[in-house]
Amino acid sequence: MQGPMRRRPAAKPKNAGKTIGRLLKYMFRYKLHLTIAAASVIVSSAANVAGTYFLKPIINQYIVPLIGNKDPDLSGFASIIILLGMIYILGVVATYTFNRLMLNISAGILYKMRVDLFTHMESLPIRYFDAHTHGELMSRYTNDIDTLREMMGRGMPNLFSSALTVTGVFVMMLVLSPLLTVLAVLMLILMLYVIRKIGGRSAIFFKNQQKEIGKVNGYVEEMVEGQKVIKVFSHEDTVKGEFERLNEELCKAATSAHTFANILMPVMGNLSYIHYALTAAVGAVMTIEGYLDVGTIASFLQYSRSFAHPITQASQQLNSILSALAGAERIFEVLDEKPETDEGYIELVHIEKRENGEIVETMNPTGMWAWKHPDWEAGARYTEVTGDVRFEGISFGYNKNEIVLKGISLYAKPGQKIAFVGSTGAGKTTITNLINRFYDVPDGKITYDGININKIKKADLRRSLSMVLQDTHLFTGTVMENIRYGRLDASDDDVIKAAKLANAHSFISHLPQGYNTMLTSDGANLSQGQRQLLAIARAAVADPPVLILDEATSSIDTRTEALIEKGMDTLMEGRTVFVIAHRLSTVRNSNAIMVLEDGRIIERGDHEDLIKMQGKYYQLYTGMFELS
Ligand SMILES: Nc1ncnc2c1ncn2[C@@H]1O[C@H](COP(=O)(O)OP(=O)(O)OP(=O)(O)O)[C@@H](O)[C@H]1O
Ligand SMILES: [Mg+2]
């Protein structure tokens, strides 16, 4: 459990520019929204800037001249105050519109990103899931998307409006007093320097934090799944220890990330106060000397605060923006993973046979299939699916330096039942993983009805095979739905027929709601054997030309197995079947039995032949040697 995650190389330094670019691409889908939002944010910033500017005429024209006046005329003053109020109201409305729109846009973008992430995840090859924990993947949907929401919904809008306000304020400050503006700019440079110093370092820590969150989530998920095993071996303390270690690392990463960010706030706050005081002092001297008037200095002071404020605010938003960028980068990492490639072009189609033997494609499920070769000149060419599967010199390893299958050659003629036996780890499941192209073979060739399986579209190839996997998985849903997973358009009757064939019908009828019983969390409310029966029924309902059963009957008692075997005989009729079994009773009536050892077929033949050979199979069968 400690291995794979720690061995992976440290995450590369982030490329914020590229990530932002990709996020922008998502944003540009909302051109109209963005345009209105941009207009609103301009209005809101302008109102803000203009409102402050009004201090100058109010003081200079309506207050200073009236000081000491016995009967002041306040009508001008009142109208300018009303105008000011209207400007502020306009500002509020624009700000609301802007924020509201940004919220819509960000929700839409996150929706699209989740869709993209999930769609892409579904396209990834099995290899990807071999190398990544569930929790790690899950955290893309939870944390990373969450931080992104924070940034898009709040961080970025604030940043935009701040940037605009700062620009507006800057222009107004220049108009009011160039000298005082120079002072403000010097202060700004100092602030930006501080942000760069502190913010730059926290970027690394934020990325780190996201990575640690992923690890903690991955670990929790794995431990939740393995709860029973943990209890069986009383490993609660060890697990807690490991969790504590990971949690501590997360804690450290989070602290470092936020330490820098948190230093930033007070530093910026203090700098802006110093700036305010300096401006007030210099401004006062200039006013006394007659270079400025009171109105100007009052409005400039106000500006100098709104000049510093957006920047300090942006510095606070920096946390959320940095972690969001780190999160977005992690999401894009998944999106950049190469999807499962499929250069296959041959399709599986339903066919009808005319009396003269001609094959015609049809949409109706006729129970007969053909491989359709698109052929430009002659139209399509069809090869009838018979279920003839051949391996020619297959060598394969999950990793380059570890060969699992070594030069496997075998054939299954249509309708034959081929059994694989052999000790655990010999490569039986691996062979089946190659037939349906979970993994591609670098060396050797697998043909299906004479066609190299590389040329067959993966989805079509997989549709032509039904597999009962070694570890069955049931989804949340009713028994009926779970069996129907084998073929989505199967009617209730088809499902029940398949269940009867798999001998699952009788136990299902005894469930509280029969076929409508809800299964939860991978069928935890069923026994192992019952789950296997459902898996067999699922394969049966698919009604494919080739069946692969990986230890399908290992958890079923001998009596039920005998019953299933009867059903299976019907199920297997006319189909090519590969069975992997540890039980010899399951294998003995196969047409051919392959005895695998260490990735090689060491013996082959039917039961009688192999017994006569007095080799490994004989040892296994006569009980001189346990199979696993
Ligand atoms: N996803 C994988 N990544 C890397 N190695 C794997 C993977 N799956 C299996 N292996 C390795 O391949 C070898 C063969 O495994 P396989 O699952 O084919 O054995 P098996 O014959 O089905 O065993 P069992 O009877 O226990 O099911 C084993 O040594 C195993 O370590
Ligand atoms: Mg196996």
Side-chain angles (χ1 to χ4, degrees), residues 43 78 100 117 147 149 313 338 376 471 505 512 514 589 622:
V43 170
R100 189 59 232 236
L117 193 57
T147 53
R149 180 195 342 271
Q313 211 186 21
K338 275 218 186 79
W376 295 117
D471 39 357
H505 181 75
N589 58 350
T622 51

Side-chain angles (χ1 to χ4, degrees), residues 126-127 130 396-399 402-405 422-433 439 470 550-551 580-582 596 628:
I126 294 284
R127 267 186 201 287
D130 284 348
F396 171 79
Y398 292 94
N399 340 323
E402 198 187 327
I403 306 295
V404 176
L405 297 180
S423 30
T424 185
K428 304 181 294 291
T429 301
T430 307
I431 289 186
T432 63
N433 283 344
Y439 303 88
Q470 192 161 11
D550 196 350
E551 316 266 10
I580 299 175
H582 280 176
L596 271 154
S628 49

Side-chain angles (χ1 to χ4, degrees), residues 184-473:
V185 168
L186 287 179
M187 224 43 203
L188 173 67
I189 292 172
L190 181 63
M191 284 175 175
L192 289 179
Y193 175 75
V194 172
I195 290 179
R196 254 189 82 136
K197 266 271 162 233
I198 302 178
R201 306 193 87 182
S202 59
I204 305 163
F205 290 110
F206 269 106
K207 175 119 193 178
N208 228 345
Q209 174 188 295
Q210 292 299 99
K211 216 172 70 196
E212 297 296 337
I213 291 176
K215 280 192 201 170
V216 167
N217 287 352
Y219 191 77
V220 170
E221 163 133 6
E222 211 175 328
M223 293 312 118
V224 170
E225 274 176 15
Q227 213 30 250
K228 279 189 189 152
V229 182
I230 294 170
K231 290 216 189 321
V232 165
F233 294 101
S234 311
H235 276 331
E236 288 94 335
D237 288 334
T238 331
V239 167
K240 258 189 269 170
E242 175 66 9
F243 179 75
E244 242 155 59
R245 199 187 60 73
L246 288 173
N247 199 13
E248 246 164 53
E249 263 165 39
L250 169 58
C251 183
K252 268 191 230 145
T255 316
S256 328
H258 289 278
T259 306
F260 281 102
N262 285 350
I263 292 174
L264 205 55
M265 257 190 291
V267 169
M268 300 305 274
N270 282 326
L271 282 177
S272 91
Y273 280 126
I274 291 172
H275 174 221
Y276 191 75
L278 271 177
T279 311
V282 176
V285 172
M286 286 171 79
T287 314
I288 292 167
E289 296 293 323
Y291 293 111
L292 289 176
D293 51 58
V294 180
T296 305
I297 185 71
S299 125
F300 193 96
L301 267 179
Q302 198 57 33
Y303 275 133
S304 79
R305 290 196 69 162
S306 33
F307 188 54
H309 183 67
I311 297 173
T312 40
Q313 211 186 21
S315 76
Q316 290 166 35
Q317 297 294 342
L318 214 61
N319 316 3
S320 79
I321 290 178
L322 289 177
S323 52
L325 284 180
E329 201 162 71
R330 281 158 45 86
I331 292 172
F332 289 136
E333 259 167 33
V334 178
L335 289 179
D336 286 342
E337 283 292 331
K338 275 218 186 79
E340 190 170 12
T341 50
D342 189 2
E343 57 301 330
Y345 53 88
I346 294 176
E347 292 169 11
L348 182 73
V349 292
H350 284 292
I351 50 157
E352 261 168 22
K353 259 194 191 161
R354 294 265 163 84
E355 275 161 21
N356 58 8
E358 195 191 346
I359 291 176
V360 192
E361 187 179 339
T362 163
M363 298 303 281
N364 308 324
T366 49
M368 280 196 288
W369 287 272
W371 299 114
K372 178 180 179 184
H373 308 247
D375 193 334
W376 295 117
E377 277 158 42
R381 214 154 36 81
Y382 297 93
T383 311
E384 199 181 341
V385 175
T386 53
D388 177 296
V389 179
R390 287 163 200 267
F391 277 55
E392 290 169 27
I394 293 295
S395 292
F396 171 79
Y398 292 94
N399 340 323
K400 283 201 185 75
N401 33 20
E402 198 187 327
I403 306 295
V404 176
L405 297 180
K406 299 158 188 159
I408 299 280
S409 292
L410 60 91
Y411 61 87
K413 287 190 190 149
Q416 276 192 330
K417 181 176 169 190
I418 308 291
F420 296 106
V421 298
S423 30
T424 185
K428 304 181 294 291
T429 301
T430 307
I431 289 186
T432 63
N433 283 344
L434 297 184
I435 300 180
N436 76 348
R437 292 186 70 198
F438 273 165
Y439 303 88
D440 277 326
V441 271
D443 223 355
K445 182 162 101 172
I446 304 176
T447 61
Y448 194 147
D449 294 323
I451 305 165
N452 189 331
I453 56 166
N454 295 341
K455 295 186 189 159
I456 301 174
K457 281 192 182 164
K458 276 186 187 169
D460 290 49
L461 174 70
R462 289 174 191 163
R463 209 145 47 84
S464 78
L465 308 159
S466 226
M467 262 179 126
V468 176
L469 298 171
Q470 192 161 11
D471 39 357
T472 47
H473 184 88

